[in-house]
């Protein structure tokens, strides 16, 4: 799941961190994501057919020209099967941001061990 997120978010050309990102003072914008829960889902007698992930994507920016860039991030994830589950504004030292929660159900029937 982590690699799926990185592959998608890298399309924006913005620095990305998993759970944290160091040295953000010099960055004009950046993304930090985390998976705050995951569960086996679609359980049958054969086992689970899917895994459900609960993900937070935080987009941080300094320049107010980027105030709506989170909409592009949200749209890209939704286009790739992520379900938007809500969000809120963020404020940090010299930065603003948008926190977005997503749910993603991954079919694991084709995953080889």
């Amino acid at each position: 799941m982590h690699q799926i997120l990185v592959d998608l978010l890298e399309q924006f050309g913005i620095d990305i961190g998993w759970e944290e990102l160091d040295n953000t003072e010099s960055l004009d914008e950046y993304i930090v994501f985390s998976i705050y829960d995951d569960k086996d889902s679609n359980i049958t007698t054969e086992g689970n057919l899917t895994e459900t992930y609960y993900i937070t994507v935080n987009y941080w920016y300094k320049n107010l020209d980027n105030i709506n860039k989170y909409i592009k991030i949200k749209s890209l994830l939704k286009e790739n099967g992520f379900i938007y589950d809500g969000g809120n504004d963020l404020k940090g030292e010299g930065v603003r941001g948008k926190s977005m929660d997503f749910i993603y159900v991954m079919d694991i029937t084709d995953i080889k061990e």
Side-chain angles (χ1 to χ4, degrees):
M1 172 50 49
H2 296 86
Q3 192 60 54
I4 292 170
L5 282 165
V6 169
D7 289 345
L8 287 169
L9 296 172
E10 279 182 336
Q11 296 179 37
F12 292 101
I14 302 171
D15 287 67
I16 301 167
W18 169 40
E19 294 185 337
E20 63 184 1
L21 184 62
D22 295 328
N23 304 315
T24 58
E25 300 82 20
S26 64
L27 300 175
D28 290 329
E29 59 182 339
Y30 56 94
I31 297 170
V32 177
F33 74 88
S34 65
I35 298 171
Y36 62 88
D37 197 12
D38 63 78
K39 300 176 182 179
D40 290 345
S41 50
N42 201 3
I43 299 171
T44 70
T45 55
E46 303 292 320
N48 63 302
L49 302 176
T50 59
E51 292 177 348
T52 301
Y53 294 89
Y54 300 87
I55 302 153
T56 295
V57 176
N58 295 324
Y59 169 62
W60 293 96
Y61 56 91
K62 291 180 182 174
N63 187 332
L64 290 179
D65 290 342
N66 293 322
I67 197 167
N68 288 321
K69 190 176 278 186
Y70 81 91
I71 296 170
K72 293 179 182 178
I73 296 167
K74 177 180 164 184
S75 294
L76 178 68
L77 292 174
K78 287 173 61 176
E79 289 167 10
N80 284 276
F82 291 77
I83 301 163
Y84 184 68
D85 193 38
N88 60 288
D89 291 336
L90 301 169
K91 182 179 179 185
E93 287 276 330
V95 293
R96 303 277 182 184
K98 186 70 171 184
S99 178
M100 298 167 277
D101 290 340
F102 294 90
I103 300 169
Y104 187 83
V105 180
M106 180 187 290
D107 181 353
I108 62 166
T109 56
D110 292 333
I111 297 176
K112 307 246 187 295
E113 304 260 342

